[in-house]
Amino acid sequence: MADMSMRGQDLRDELIRCRRGRALLASDIADRVGPQLRRLCGVADADSPAALRRKVHLRLMTLTESMPEDMRQLLLASFSLPPGPQDPFLKDRLSKVSSMRFCDSRTVRRRADEALSLLADLADTTDESMPRSDPDAADWVLDAVEAVVRLDQLGVEVIERRTVRAARNGLERIELSLCVPPHRLDSGRADGIELEPLHGMRVLEIERVGLRFFRWTLELPRPLEVQECHDVAVRIRLGVDRPIAPHYVLTPLRPCRSFRLLLQLPPGLHGAHVQRVDGLSPRVLDDPVPVGSRIAGDRFGMFRCDFTHLRPGLAYGAAWLPAGSG
Protein backbone atom coordinates (compact mmCIF):
# COMPACT_ATOMS: atom_id res chain seq x y z
CA MET A 1 0.00 0.00 0.00
CA ALA A 2 2.89 2.37 0.70
CA ASP A 3 4.20 1.89 -2.84
CA MET A 4 0.77 2.52 -4.33
CA SER A 5 0.35 5.70 -2.27
CA MET A 6 3.76 7.02 -3.31
CA ARG A 7 3.07 6.21 -6.95
CA GLY A 8 -0.32 7.92 -6.75
CA GLN A 9 1.28 11.05 -5.28
CA ASP A 10 3.89 11.08 -8.05
CA LEU A 11 1.13 10.77 -10.61
CA ARG A 12 -0.78 13.64 -9.01
CA ASP A 13 2.32 15.85 -9.16
CA GLU A 14 2.76 15.02 -12.84
CA LEU A 15 -0.88 15.84 -13.56
CA ILE A 16 -0.50 19.21 -11.81
CA ARG A 17 2.52 19.97 -13.98
CA CYS A 18 0.65 18.97 -17.15
CA ARG A 19 -2.35 21.23 -16.56
CA ARG A 20 -0.30 24.44 -16.39
CA GLY A 21 -0.37 26.92 -19.25
CA ARG A 22 -1.79 25.34 -22.39
CA ALA A 23 -1.84 21.91 -20.70
CA LEU A 24 -1.89 19.12 -23.29
CA LEU A 25 -1.63 21.67 -26.09
CA ALA A 26 1.71 22.99 -24.79
CA SER A 27 4.67 22.67 -27.15
CA ASP A 28 6.80 21.16 -24.36
CA ILE A 29 4.26 18.48 -23.41
CA ALA A 30 6.88 15.72 -23.82
CA ASP A 31 8.97 17.32 -21.07
CA ARG A 32 5.99 17.64 -18.73
CA VAL A 33 4.78 14.04 -18.92
CA GLY A 34 6.71 12.07 -16.31
CA PRO A 35 7.29 8.33 -15.88
CA GLN A 36 4.05 7.59 -14.00
CA LEU A 37 1.83 9.25 -16.59
CA ARG A 38 3.82 7.68 -19.43
CA ARG A 39 3.27 4.22 -17.96
CA LEU A 40 -0.41 4.87 -17.34
CA CYS A 41 -0.98 6.00 -20.94
CA GLY A 42 1.23 3.42 -22.63
CA VAL A 43 3.68 6.00 -23.99
CA ALA A 44 6.78 4.45 -25.57
CA ASP A 45 10.23 6.03 -25.58
CA ALA A 46 10.12 6.24 -29.37
CA ASP A 47 6.76 8.04 -29.47
CA SER A 48 6.70 11.47 -31.09
CA PRO A 49 5.24 14.43 -29.14
CA ALA A 50 2.08 14.11 -31.26
CA ALA A 51 1.71 10.42 -30.41
CA LEU A 52 2.38 11.13 -26.72
CA ARG A 53 -0.22 13.89 -26.70
CA ARG A 54 -2.77 11.61 -28.37
CA LYS A 55 -2.26 8.77 -25.89
CA VAL A 56 -2.46 11.02 -22.82
CA HIS A 57 -5.51 12.74 -24.30
CA LEU A 58 -7.34 9.43 -24.83
CA ARG A 59 -6.45 7.98 -21.41
CA LEU A 60 -7.59 11.08 -19.55
CA MET A 61 -10.81 11.25 -21.56
CA THR A 62 -11.51 7.60 -20.74
CA LEU A 63 -10.84 8.05 -17.02
CA THR A 64 -13.04 11.15 -16.74
CA GLU A 65 -16.03 9.42 -18.35
CA SER A 66 -16.81 7.58 -15.11
CA MET A 67 -16.57 10.69 -12.91
CA PRO A 68 -19.37 13.03 -11.77
CA GLU A 69 -20.25 15.54 -14.49
CA ASP A 70 -19.19 18.62 -12.51
CA MET A 71 -15.76 17.11 -11.86
CA ARG A 72 -15.48 15.98 -15.46
CA GLN A 73 -16.07 19.52 -16.73
CA LEU A 74 -13.38 20.86 -14.42
CA LEU A 75 -10.89 18.26 -15.62
CA LEU A 76 -11.66 18.90 -19.29
CA ALA A 77 -10.97 22.59 -18.69
CA SER A 78 -7.86 21.86 -16.61
CA PHE A 79 -6.19 19.83 -19.36
CA SER A 80 -7.60 21.69 -22.41
CA LEU A 81 -9.55 18.62 -23.45
CA PRO A 82 -12.45 19.16 -25.89
CA PRO A 83 -15.19 20.17 -25.56
CA GLY A 84 -13.82 22.15 -22.59
CA PRO A 85 -12.33 25.66 -22.97
CA GLN A 86 -8.83 25.83 -24.47
CA ASP A 87 -7.59 29.24 -23.35
CA PRO A 88 -3.80 29.58 -22.97
CA PHE A 89 -3.89 29.85 -19.16
CA LEU A 90 -5.39 27.53 -16.54
CA LYS A 91 -6.99 30.37 -14.56
CA ASP A 92 -8.84 31.57 -17.68
CA ARG A 93 -10.16 28.11 -18.47
CA LEU A 94 -11.37 27.62 -14.91
CA SER A 95 -12.86 31.10 -14.95
CA LYS A 96 -15.14 30.07 -17.79
CA VAL A 97 -16.30 27.06 -15.78
CA SER A 98 -16.94 29.26 -12.74
CA SER A 99 -19.09 31.63 -14.80
CA MET A 100 -21.20 28.69 -16.03
CA ARG A 101 -21.64 27.33 -12.52
CA PHE A 102 -22.06 30.68 -10.75
CA CYS A 103 -19.13 29.99 -8.41
CA ASP A 104 -16.29 32.26 -7.38
CA SER A 105 -12.83 31.52 -8.77
CA ARG A 106 -11.41 30.23 -5.46
CA THR A 107 -14.20 27.69 -5.08
CA VAL A 108 -13.74 26.46 -8.64
CA ARG A 109 -9.96 26.18 -8.18
CA ARG A 110 -10.46 24.16 -4.98
CA ARG A 111 -12.91 21.84 -6.69
CA ALA A 112 -10.56 21.49 -9.65
CA ASP A 113 -7.81 20.38 -7.24
CA GLU A 114 -10.21 17.86 -5.66
CA ALA A 115 -11.15 16.53 -9.09
CA LEU A 116 -7.48 16.13 -10.01
CA SER A 117 -6.78 14.21 -6.81
CA LEU A 118 -9.72 11.90 -7.51
CA LEU A 119 -8.46 11.39 -11.06
CA ALA A 120 -5.01 10.41 -9.75
CA ASP A 121 -6.56 7.97 -7.26
CA LEU A 122 -8.79 6.45 -9.95
CA ALA A 123 -5.87 6.04 -12.35
CA ASP A 124 -3.66 4.57 -9.64
CA THR A 125 -6.19 1.96 -8.53
CA THR A 126 -7.16 0.86 -12.07
CA ASP A 127 -3.70 0.89 -13.65
CA GLU A 128 -2.58 -2.54 -12.44
CA SER A 129 -5.69 -4.32 -13.73
CA MET A 130 -5.67 -2.69 -17.17
CA PRO A 131 -3.97 -4.71 -19.89
CA ARG A 132 -1.21 -2.98 -21.84
CA SER A 133 -2.52 -2.06 -25.24
CA ASP A 134 -0.77 -2.25 -28.56
CA PRO A 135 0.89 0.90 -30.01
CA ASP A 136 -2.12 1.66 -32.25
CA ALA A 137 -4.76 1.18 -29.54
CA ALA A 138 -4.95 4.92 -28.91
CA ASP A 139 -6.04 5.64 -32.51
CA TRP A 140 -9.75 5.14 -31.81
CA VAL A 141 -12.23 4.07 -29.16
CA LEU A 142 -15.72 2.55 -29.17
CA ASP A 143 -18.51 4.89 -28.18
CA ALA A 144 -21.22 2.27 -28.61
CA VAL A 145 -21.70 -1.30 -29.81
CA GLU A 146 -25.02 -3.06 -30.43
CA ALA A 147 -25.14 -6.73 -31.43
CA VAL A 148 -28.22 -8.68 -32.46
CA VAL A 149 -27.40 -12.40 -32.28
CA ARG A 150 -29.85 -14.82 -33.91
CA LEU A 151 -29.62 -18.52 -33.13
CA ASP A 152 -33.19 -19.23 -34.28
CA GLN A 153 -32.34 -19.94 -37.92
CA LEU A 154 -30.09 -22.13 -40.02
CA GLY A 155 -26.59 -21.17 -38.97
CA VAL A 156 -25.82 -18.17 -36.76
CA GLU A 157 -26.34 -14.56 -37.78
CA VAL A 158 -24.96 -11.50 -35.99
CA ILE A 159 -25.76 -7.94 -36.97
CA GLU A 160 -23.37 -5.59 -35.25
CA ARG A 161 -23.45 -1.81 -35.22
CA ARG A 162 -20.52 0.19 -33.88
CA THR A 163 -19.95 3.87 -33.25
CA VAL A 164 -16.22 4.59 -33.31
CA ARG A 165 -14.60 7.84 -32.15
CA ALA A 166 -11.29 8.94 -33.58
CA ALA A 167 -8.53 9.77 -31.09
CA ARG A 168 -6.30 11.33 -33.74
CA ASN A 169 -6.66 13.24 -36.99
CA GLY A 170 -6.66 11.29 -40.23
CA LEU A 171 -8.09 8.00 -38.94
CA GLU A 172 -8.87 5.88 -42.03
CA ARG A 173 -8.94 2.27 -40.80
CA ILE A 174 -10.33 0.29 -37.90
CA GLU A 175 -10.37 -3.41 -37.04
CA LEU A 176 -13.01 -5.95 -36.09
CA SER A 177 -12.20 -9.38 -34.70
CA LEU A 178 -14.08 -12.61 -34.02
CA CYS A 179 -13.23 -15.66 -31.91
CA VAL A 180 -14.90 -19.00 -32.73
CA PRO A 181 -14.06 -22.65 -31.94
CA PRO A 182 -11.84 -24.38 -34.51
CA HIS A 183 -13.54 -26.09 -37.45
CA ARG A 184 -13.23 -29.90 -37.52
CA LEU A 185 -12.09 -29.70 -41.17
CA ASP A 186 -9.72 -26.80 -40.74
CA SER A 187 -8.46 -25.41 -44.04
CA GLY A 188 -6.54 -22.50 -42.56
CA ARG A 189 -9.07 -20.07 -44.04
CA ALA A 190 -12.27 -18.46 -42.81
CA ASP A 191 -14.43 -21.29 -44.14
CA GLY A 192 -18.01 -21.01 -42.96
CA ILE A 193 -17.54 -17.41 -41.77
CA GLU A 194 -18.95 -14.57 -43.85
CA LEU A 195 -18.69 -10.87 -42.99
CA GLU A 196 -20.94 -8.59 -45.06
CA PRO A 197 -20.48 -4.80 -44.83
CA LEU A 198 -23.85 -3.07 -44.34
CA HIS A 199 -22.74 0.54 -44.19
CA GLY A 200 -19.94 2.89 -43.19
CA MET A 201 -16.88 0.94 -44.38
CA ARG A 202 -15.45 -1.71 -46.69
CA VAL A 203 -13.30 -4.75 -45.98
CA LEU A 204 -9.65 -4.40 -46.94
CA GLU A 205 -8.30 -7.71 -45.68
CA ILE A 206 -8.92 -10.63 -43.36
CA GLU A 207 -6.23 -12.17 -41.20
CA ARG A 208 -6.31 -15.38 -39.21
CA VAL A 209 -4.49 -15.38 -35.86
CA GLY A 210 -4.09 -18.87 -34.41
CA LEU A 211 -6.91 -21.41 -34.59
CA ARG A 212 -9.75 -19.35 -33.18
CA PHE A 213 -9.26 -15.69 -34.06
CA PHE A 214 -10.11 -13.82 -37.25
CA ARG A 215 -9.42 -10.14 -37.77
CA TRP A 216 -10.82 -7.85 -40.46
CA THR A 217 -9.24 -4.53 -41.44
CA LEU A 218 -11.98 -2.08 -42.38
CA GLU A 219 -11.51 1.09 -44.42
CA LEU A 220 -13.65 4.13 -43.60
CA PRO A 221 -15.20 6.24 -46.38
CA ARG A 222 -13.05 9.26 -45.45
CA PRO A 223 -10.44 10.21 -42.84
CA LEU A 224 -11.89 11.20 -39.46
CA GLU A 225 -10.76 14.13 -37.35
CA VAL A 226 -9.97 13.76 -33.66
CA GLN A 227 -13.13 13.23 -31.55
CA GLU A 228 -15.24 12.71 -34.69
CA CYS A 229 -17.67 9.78 -34.51
CA HIS A 230 -18.61 7.40 -37.31
CA ASP A 231 -21.14 4.55 -37.51
CA VAL A 232 -20.43 1.20 -39.14
CA ALA A 233 -22.51 -1.96 -39.41
CA VAL A 234 -21.78 -5.53 -40.49
CA ARG A 235 -23.60 -8.82 -40.80
CA ILE A 236 -21.67 -11.94 -39.78
CA ARG A 237 -22.92 -15.39 -40.74
CA LEU A 238 -21.58 -18.73 -39.53
CA GLY A 239 -22.29 -21.84 -41.59
CA VAL A 240 -24.45 -24.63 -40.21
CA ASP A 241 -21.43 -26.90 -39.79
CA ARG A 242 -19.41 -24.24 -37.99
CA PRO A 243 -19.28 -24.97 -34.20
CA ILE A 244 -20.09 -22.17 -31.78
CA ALA A 245 -19.43 -21.70 -28.08
CA PRO A 246 -22.47 -21.42 -25.72
CA HIS A 247 -21.90 -17.69 -25.21
CA TYR A 248 -21.64 -14.43 -27.06
CA VAL A 249 -19.40 -11.76 -25.55
CA LEU A 250 -17.64 -8.57 -26.50
CA THR A 251 -14.06 -8.41 -25.24
CA PRO A 252 -12.94 -4.89 -26.17
CA LEU A 253 -9.25 -4.24 -26.76
CA ARG A 254 -9.75 -0.52 -26.26
CA PRO A 255 -12.10 1.64 -24.17
CA CYS A 256 -15.80 1.09 -24.91
CA ARG A 257 -18.51 3.34 -23.49
CA SER A 258 -21.58 1.13 -23.99
CA PHE A 259 -22.63 -2.28 -25.31
CA ARG A 260 -26.12 -3.67 -25.89
CA LEU A 261 -26.67 -7.35 -26.68
CA LEU A 262 -29.92 -8.78 -28.02
CA LEU A 263 -29.82 -12.57 -28.06
CA GLN A 264 -32.50 -14.56 -29.87
CA LEU A 265 -32.55 -18.24 -28.89
CA PRO A 266 -34.29 -20.93 -30.94
CA PRO A 267 -37.61 -22.33 -29.62
CA GLY A 268 -35.89 -25.43 -28.22
CA LEU A 269 -33.72 -23.27 -25.97
CA HIS A 270 -36.35 -20.81 -24.68
CA GLY A 271 -36.07 -22.43 -21.25
CA ALA A 272 -32.28 -22.26 -21.19
CA HIS A 273 -30.45 -20.78 -18.24
CA VAL A 274 -29.09 -17.54 -19.75
CA GLN A 275 -26.58 -15.67 -17.63
CA ARG A 276 -25.17 -12.18 -17.76
CA VAL A 277 -21.41 -12.02 -18.33
CA ASP A 278 -20.26 -8.76 -16.77
CA GLY A 279 -16.54 -8.03 -16.86
CA LEU A 280 -15.10 -11.54 -16.56
CA SER A 281 -11.85 -12.99 -17.79
CA PRO A 282 -12.61 -14.67 -21.14
CA ARG A 283 -11.03 -17.91 -19.88
CA VAL A 284 -13.75 -18.26 -17.24
CA LEU A 285 -16.22 -18.88 -20.06
CA ASP A 286 -14.48 -22.12 -20.96
CA ASP A 287 -15.83 -23.71 -17.76
CA PRO A 288 -19.34 -25.24 -18.12
CA VAL A 289 -20.63 -23.70 -14.90
CA PRO A 290 -22.81 -20.67 -14.12
CA VAL A 291 -20.83 -17.44 -14.45
CA GLY A 292 -23.28 -14.68 -13.55
CA SER A 293 -26.81 -13.64 -12.66
CA ARG A 294 -29.68 -15.15 -14.59
CA ILE A 295 -31.40 -13.08 -17.29
CA ALA A 296 -35.11 -13.32 -18.01
CA GLY A 297 -36.10 -13.47 -21.67
CA ASP A 298 -39.37 -12.41 -23.25
CA ARG A 299 -42.06 -14.79 -24.53
CA PHE A 300 -40.30 -15.03 -27.91
CA GLY A 301 -36.96 -16.10 -26.50
CA MET A 302 -35.22 -12.73 -26.80
CA PHE A 303 -32.72 -11.79 -24.08
CA ARG A 304 -31.26 -8.32 -23.57
CA CYS A 305 -28.18 -7.10 -21.72
CA ASP A 306 -26.83 -3.55 -21.41
CA PHE A 307 -23.35 -2.57 -20.23
CA THR A 308 -21.52 0.74 -19.77
CA HIS A 309 -17.88 1.71 -19.34
CA LEU A 310 -16.45 -1.64 -20.44
CA ARG A 311 -12.88 -2.37 -19.42
CA PRO A 312 -10.43 -3.55 -22.09
CA GLY A 313 -9.52 -7.21 -21.93
CA LEU A 314 -12.65 -8.35 -20.03
CA ALA A 315 -15.72 -10.11 -21.44
CA TYR A 316 -19.27 -8.71 -21.50
CA GLY A 317 -22.36 -10.42 -22.87
CA ALA A 318 -24.37 -13.59 -22.19
CA ALA A 319 -23.82 -17.33 -21.78
CA TRP A 320 -26.42 -20.07 -21.88
CA LEU A 321 -26.79 -23.50 -20.34
CA PRO A 322 -29.47 -26.14 -21.07
CA ALA A 323 -32.70 -25.94 -19.10
CA GLY A 324 -32.24 -27.27 -15.57
CA SER A 325 -28.55 -26.42 -15.42
CA GLY A 326 -27.05 -24.17 -12.74
Side-chain angles (χ1 to χ4, degrees):
M1 289 299 290
D3 291 340
M4 289 288 290
S5 178
M6 183 177 299
R7 188 176 64 186
Q9 182 59 50
D10 289 344
L11 179 60
R12 182 179 184 278
D13 293 342
E14 291 180 19
L15 289 170
I16 290 175
R17 187 162 64 247
C18 283
R19 73 177 181 177
R20 294 171 183 160
R22 289 191 176 275
L24 294 189
L25 301 179
S27 59
D28 63 343
I29 185 63
D31 297 326
R32 298 188 187 194
V33 177
Q36 300 299 337
L37 194 52
R38 284 173 180 267
R39 188 195 71 255
L40 175 71
C41 302
V43 176
D45 293 340
D47 281 344
S48 66
L52 177 147
R53 181 180 288 110
R54 184 172 70 246
K55 290 182 177 181
V56 175
H57 177 153
L58 177 62
R59 192 71 171 100
L60 294 183
M61 290 289 287
T62 302
L63 286 169
T64 60
E65 286 176 355
S66 62
M67 300 181 71
E69 184 59 26
D70 60 328
M71 287 188 164
R72 184 171 184 270
Q73 288 185 15
L74 288 168
L75 290 168
L76 295 181
S78 295
F79 294 102
S80 291
L81 295 170
Q86 299 189 348
D87 299 75
F89 298 108
L90 174 62
K91 64 181 180 63
D92 294 332
R93 296 193 297 274
L94 293 181
S95 177
K96 288 188 175 180
V97 177
S98 68
S99 64
M100 291 187 293
R101 293 193 166 274
F102 306 103
C103 300
D104 62 76
S105 58
R106 286 183 297 180
T107 300
V108 167
R109 181 57 180 260
R110 185 180 71 253
R111 291 178 179 173
D113 291 342
E114 293 171 353
L116 186 142
S117 295
L118 180 59
L119 176 68
D121 289 342
L122 179 63
D124 185 44
T125 55
T126 60
D127 182 39
E128 286 301 310
S129 59
M130 293 289 282
R132 298 277 73 84
S133 55
D134 61 82
D136 296 326
D139 284 355
W140 54 279
V141 297
L142 290 165
D143 259 20
V145 178
E146 180 179 273
V148 180
V149 181
R150 298 195 59 182
L151 306 179
D152 61 336
Q153 53 189 16
L154 205 59
V156 176
E157 180 183 80
V158 179
I159 297 178
E160 191 170 282
R161 300 177 180 86
R162 297 187 173 206
T163 300
V164 301
R165 176 160 49 91
R168 64 171 175 84
N169 290 324
L171 179 70
E172 297 183 273
R173 298 180 181 184
I174 61 173
E175 292 182 346
L176 186 148
S177 58
L178 179 70
C179 174
V180 293
H183 196 285
R184 58 183 176 83
L185 300 175
D186 199 311
S187 67
R189 302 188 302 274
D191 293 339
I193 301 176
E194 176 189 352
L195 183 142
E196 176 190 357
L198 296 180
H199 69 76
M201 51 73 197
R202 70 176 180 180
V203 177
L204 284 183
E205 61 179 347
I206 178 174
E207 175 187 9
R208 182 170 183 171
V209 183
L211 294 176
R212 297 170 175 266
F213 291 89
F214 298 86
R215 180 164 58 215
W216 288 266
T217 299
L218 310 177
E219 182 182 33
L220 304 180
R222 61 176 178 80
L224 302 183
E225 299 301 307
V226 65
Q227 293 300 309
E228 184 178 359
C229 291
H230 180 74
D231 295 330
V232 301
V234 299
R235 177 185 284 112
I236 300 172
R237 294 189 179 97
L238 303 184
V240 292
D241 60 342
R242 189 88 206 187
I244 63 168
H247 58 258
Y248 185 90
V249 296
L250 174 68
T251 307
L253 301 180
R254 61 197 70 239
C256 179
R257 186 174 295 181
S258 69
F259 172 45
R260 170 171 292 174
L261 171 62
L262 299 173
L263 174 67
Q264 177 67 62
L265 293 183
L269 284 178
H270 282 192
H273 186 111
V274 179
Q275 309 154 74
R276 179 182 175 91
V277 178
D278 194 351
L280 297 179
S281 166
R283 290 192 175 277
V284 174
L285 299 173
D286 294 335
D287 299 327
V289 296
V291 295
S293 58
R294 187 165 185 171
I295 309 167
D298 63 23
R299 67 178 66 183
F300 303 123
M302 177 71 79
F303 297 80
R304 171 176 165 171
C305 300
D306 290 283
F307 307 90
T308 58
H309 302 297
L310 287 69
R311 297 175 63 184
L314 299 182
Y316 300 83
W320 53 93
L321 295 170
S325 301

